[in-house]
DNA sequence: ACGGGATATCAACAGATGAC
DNA sequence: GTCATCTGTTGATATCCCGT
């Protein structure tokens, strides 16, 4: 996809602005070389004993939770729900694929979900209070079960992708699994790059290209539109990759975050920048 | 204060539209 | 006609709103 000189200028300004204000953005962790360190590196949450909640993706259970996070985040609702769901599973020892493989377990988790949401709220210390009451969607649990049934295959595809240095193998496979979307037959798409982004950020797989790591969700697309950056509608895997590639060309190792944060930067910049 | 219906929100999907 | 892109619909659920 074509990147114009004007788009490069817009991106440059946005990145400058983003870096200047990144400390005020609760969801942003930035490293010494102005690179994004990843979302799961630090959720800005602590358990009752004051220990930070985060995912170490070198551990298989935490890797499983990264996928759960993505499933939760791909649902409607405040993003806090996804983070709290992952924290609930981690703190309460429900972070193993084998647990979710059992049909009786995932069905009982559905029934428990209201209590679980209240439980985790009482178990955590928040640096920033969630905006709404924590709640867990029913359909997310079925998807976690499906994830568990495909877990070995998913790991296998990741390994093959690593060996061949082609992570579209993994993406294509994940996209093909039915039941990871909110309906039993639906599939996941938009948030697939997030998985690769977090793995790249933690350097678990060292040959993941940044071009496959930018999320283009509604918020990112909206920001691009109001800034005058042209992105295709990521309605299938090839569009998604095209979109992610262009964002990476513009933003580098900050990925989609400057665009994601655009709203929160309270920008006066769009007026000057576009014509 | 409480329950039920309407509304807003989002991503995925499928059908419609447009370009060649 | 084929392929890619655009648009409208679908479905779950939290929140809002109103009557009781």
């Amino acid at each position: 996809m074509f990147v114009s000189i004007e788009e490069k200028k817009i991106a440059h300004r946005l990145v400058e602005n983003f870096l200047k204000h990144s400390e005020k953005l609760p969801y942003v962790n930035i490293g010494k070389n102005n690179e994004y360190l990843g979302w799961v590196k630090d959720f800005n949450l602590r358990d009752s004993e004051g220990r930070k909640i985060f995912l170490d993706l070198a551990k298989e259970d935490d890797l499983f939770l990264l996928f759960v996070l993505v499933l939760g985040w791909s649902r409607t609702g405040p993003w806090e729900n996804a983070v709290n769901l992952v924290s609930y599973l981690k703190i309460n020892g429900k972070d193993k694929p084998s647990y979710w493989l059992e049909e009786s377990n995932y069905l009982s988790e559905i029934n428990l979900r209201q209590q679980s949401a209240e439980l985790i709220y009482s178990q955590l210390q928040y640096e920033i209070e969630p905006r709404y009451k924590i709640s867990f969607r029913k359909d997310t649990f079925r998807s976690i079960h499906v994830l568990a049934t495909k877990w070995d295959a998913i790991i296998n595809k990741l390994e093959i992708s690593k060996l061949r240095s082609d992570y579209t193998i993994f993406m294509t496979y994940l996209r093909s699994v039915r039941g990871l979307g909110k309906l039993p037959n639906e599939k996941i798409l938009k948030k697939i790059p997030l998985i690769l982004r977090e793995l790249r950020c933690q350097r678990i797989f060292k040959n993941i290209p940044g071009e496959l790591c930018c999320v283009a969700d509604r918020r990112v697309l909206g920001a691009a539109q109001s800034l005058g950056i042209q992105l295709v509608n990521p309605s299938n895997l090839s569009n998604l990759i095209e979109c992610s590639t262009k964002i990476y060309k513009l933003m580098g190792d900050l990925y989609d975050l400057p665009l994601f944060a655009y709203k929160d930067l309270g920008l006066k910049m769009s007026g000057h920048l576009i014509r």
Side-chain angles (χ1 to χ4, degrees), chain A residues 190 192-194 196-197 209-217 220 240-241 243-249 251-252 254-257:
Chain A
K190 296 268 199 322
I192 294 176
L194 180 88
L196 293 174
R197 187 186 80 196
E211 282 80 359
L212 300 181
C213 295
C214 300
V215 178
D217 60 8
V220 168
L240 184 85
I241 290 172
C243 211
S244 175
T245 301
K246 180 158 177 179
I247 296 172
Y248 188 70
K249 273 183 189 157
M251 308 291 166
L254 292 171
Y255 311 97
D256 53 282
L257 272 96

Side-chain angles (χ1 to χ4, degrees), chain A residues 125-138:
Chain A
Q125 302 177 334
Y126 296 89
E127 278 172 36
I128 296 155
E129 277 287 309
R131 292 164 298 167
Y132 301 101
K133 191 183 155 191
I134 299 303
S135 76
F136 300 150
R137 281 178 63 128
K138 202 194 248 181

Side-chain angles (χ1 to χ4, degrees), chain A residues 159-181:
Chain A
E159 290 296 336
I160 292 173
S161 298
K162 178 187 174 183
L163 287 173
R164 299 201 192 150
S165 242
D166 176 9
Y167 285 86
T168 65
I169 296 169
F170 163 74
M171 295 174 100
T172 304
Y173 176 72
L174 200 64
R175 172 66 179 156
S176 77
V177 176
R178 291 186 180 273
L180 297 182

